[in-house]
Amino acid sequence: LLNMVLAGYACLEFCSCRIEFVKEPYGPVAIDSANSQWRGVLLFQVAGQLEPVNDDTRVMEIFISGDACISIYTHLCPSDNTRPMALDILWQMWQRGRSISKRDWTLLRVAVVACVNDVYYGRLFFGDPETQQVLWDCDVRPSDATFLALKAKAPIYVKKAVWENCSTSLRNSSTWATVNYIEGQRETQRRASMERRSSLAGLGQQGHPSPESLPAIRLLMREMEVAVREEDYAAAARLRDHPWMRLAEDINMHRSIGYSEQADKLMAELGRLIEAHESAVGREYEARLSAQHAARAALDELLRRQDTHDVSSGSGGPSSSAASAQQQLGQPPHSGEVQQQNESTKRD
């Protein structure tokens, strides 16, 4: 029966409908990489719908896992650190085959053609890109077919009977429940964060200073907000993991659960760390400033001695003494002084 179902789909468009990914926040793909096990779900809707997605929109879910899940995710969310998976190598071999083939051919479309015992079956249709004539088709997992369709920019179809039997309203899908649960968790965390900030502000007014009252912490928080806004997540992660920010998070956590004594100790430690850092920076600046003053004083003393020597010997002048002093300090004379010395030499 399955072989009969999978056969003869060269004229698929007559018995199928074209589908596309559902837009965010429900689609195009939801990924769960917990415990190093990549799992996800592809969420499709009928292509070309004018109405915005709502709870009654008909959708079809295809659950995926493993390499196909990783390949689809990395295609939709590219990363420089991504290593090639099996499907990536297959795609590269396919492109190489096309480049050396005497006849141009491509992936015309992919299709989900059957669902047997909750397992979806798909087909790849290859053929002439100009005439759209199908020259060859083969069985494939819908997850692999989706990846190849994304790479080739080929349309995705589903057999009408499969769509009618397997699609459901968005409200009844597992994706809807998952997304709304996540959104609910985020809203709960946001409200808890606001309440915690309010309580911390109240504690600060009662004599318990919060980390946010320190200029150094506020500066780090502003820099992290700018990094997130500019989508520089590497910089945002470094700022988030800064020792002062970690300590500030611990202080707020202890304040929120009522451990004020421990929070005060950590706050004092944070203040000492910031003060020590600022003192070190101040000492470094003072050292550089003192070195500059000492160098200037040495130059002035050398110029004074040179002027005294020139007056006693009756030769030279202020310009030549300054140039000589700068040369003794390893500094080149000014261009005007060099020109004056050259003119004096010519007159001599």
Side-chain angles (χ1 to χ4, degrees):
L1 174 62
L2 180 59
N3 291 334
M4 295 175 61
V5 171
L6 297 178
Y9 287 101
C11 300
L12 186 68
E13 54 270 18
F14 296 107
C15 60
S16 64
C17 57
R18 185 171 176 177
I19 56 177
E20 63 184 5
F21 284 127
V22 176
K23 302 297 188 294
E24 295 182 350
Y26 298 102
V29 56
I31 298 295
D32 177 18
S33 59
N35 300 322
S36 300
Q37 299 294 324
W38 282 77
R39 298 171 297 178
V41 55
L42 303 175
L43 193 65
F44 294 101
Q45 66 177 359
V46 175
Q49 293 189 23
L50 300 178
E51 299 81 6
V53 176
N54 55 58
D55 294 349
D56 296 323
T57 300
R58 302 292 296 182
V59 297
M60 185 176 74
E61 296 177 303
I62 297 181
F63 293 88
I64 59 176
S65 62
D67 286 3
C69 182
I70 299 175
S71 296
I72 292 174
Y73 176 78
T74 53
H75 176 81
L76 297 173
C77 305
S79 172
D80 295 336
N81 299 324
T82 302
R83 298 292 297 151
M85 307 297 290
L87 286 174
D88 298 301
I89 298 174
L90 174 62
W91 171 259
Q92 295 173 13
M93 294 172 61
W94 174 18
Q95 296 305 301
R96 178 56 179 165
R98 287 189 63 190
S99 66
I100 63 177
S101 176
K102 296 181 180 180
R103 184 174 182 179
D104 190 18
W105 56 277
T106 187
L107 178 65
L108 298 178
R109 55 185 175 269
V110 304
V112 180
V113 297
C115 182
V116 180
N117 297 326
D118 294 330
V119 177
Y120 287 100
Y121 292 83
R123 305 229 20 120
L124 299 174
F125 296 89
F126 298 93
D128 191 324
E130 294 185 0
T131 64
Q132 294 294 303
Q133 179 184 0
V134 176
L135 303 176
W136 177 62
D137 62 284
C138 64
D139 183 25
V140 67
R141 296 187 307 175
S143 56
D144 299 335
T146 299
F147 172 77
L148 294 175
L150 290 172
K151 297 289 285 187
K153 296 181 174 57
I156 304 174
Y157 291 87
V158 61
K159 190 179 178 183
K160 289 182 179 179
V162 176
W163 177 263
E164 292 172 359
N165 293 331
C166 300
S167 64
T168 183
S169 65
L170 181 60
R171 182 188 297 105
N172 295 327
S173 67
S174 62
T175 304
W176 185 90
T178 301
V179 170
N180 281 275
Y181 172 78
I182 294 174
E183 292 297 326
Q185 290 292 101
R186 289 176 178 173
E187 180 64 19
T188 300
Q189 293 176 359
R190 187 184 68 83
R191 291 180 179 177
S193 177
M194 293 178 62
E195 293 176 357
R196 185 178 66 180
R197 290 181 180 179
S198 299
S199 63
L200 289 176
L203 288 173
Q205 294 175 358
Q206 298 173 12
H208 297 280
S210 64
E212 290 79 4
S213 64
L214 300 175
I217 297 299
R218 291 200 300 271
L219 177 60
L220 288 174
M221 293 176 67
R222 285 197 299 269
E223 291 178 352
M224 187 166 66
E225 290 176 358
V226 171
V228 172
R229 186 164 57 250
E230 296 178 351
E231 297 185 357
D232 187 357
Y233 299 115
R238 288 195 300 270
L239 291 167
R240 179 201 62 197
D241 295 334
H242 193 284
W244 297 354
M245 294 290 283
R246 290 289 191 184
L247 193 53
E249 185 178 356
D250 289 342
I251 294 170
N252 289 334
M253 184 270 293
H254 283 86
R255 288 254 193 263
S256 64
I257 60 178
Y259 289 178
S260 299
E261 184 177 353
Q262 181 64 21
D264 291 339
K265 293 180 180 179
L266 294 175
M267 187 68 188
E269 180 182 353
L270 177 60
R272 286 194 297 270
L273 289 174
I274 295 175
E275 183 179 359
H277 174 77
E278 292 176 347
S279 299
V281 172
R283 287 194 298 270
E284 182 181 355
Y285 174 76
E286 291 177 358
R288 289 201 303 267
L289 196 61
S290 299
Q292 292 175 359
H293 288 325
R296 185 62 189 174
L299 176 61
D300 292 341
E301 178 65 19
L302 190 57
L303 290 173
R304 186 185 64 78
R305 292 181 180 178
Q306 188 66 34
D307 290 341
T308 303
H309 174 72
D310 291 341
V311 170
S312 62
S313 61
S315 63
S319 298
S320 61
S321 62
S324 175
Q326 289 174 339
Q327 289 176 355
Q328 292 184 36
L329 287 175
Q331 298 178 352
H334 297 296
S335 58
E337 297 169 356
V338 172
Q339 183 178 0
Q340 184 177 358
Q341 291 178 3
N342 291 338
E343 293 176 353
S344 175
T345 303
K346 290 177 182 179
R347 288 195 299 270
D348 292 342

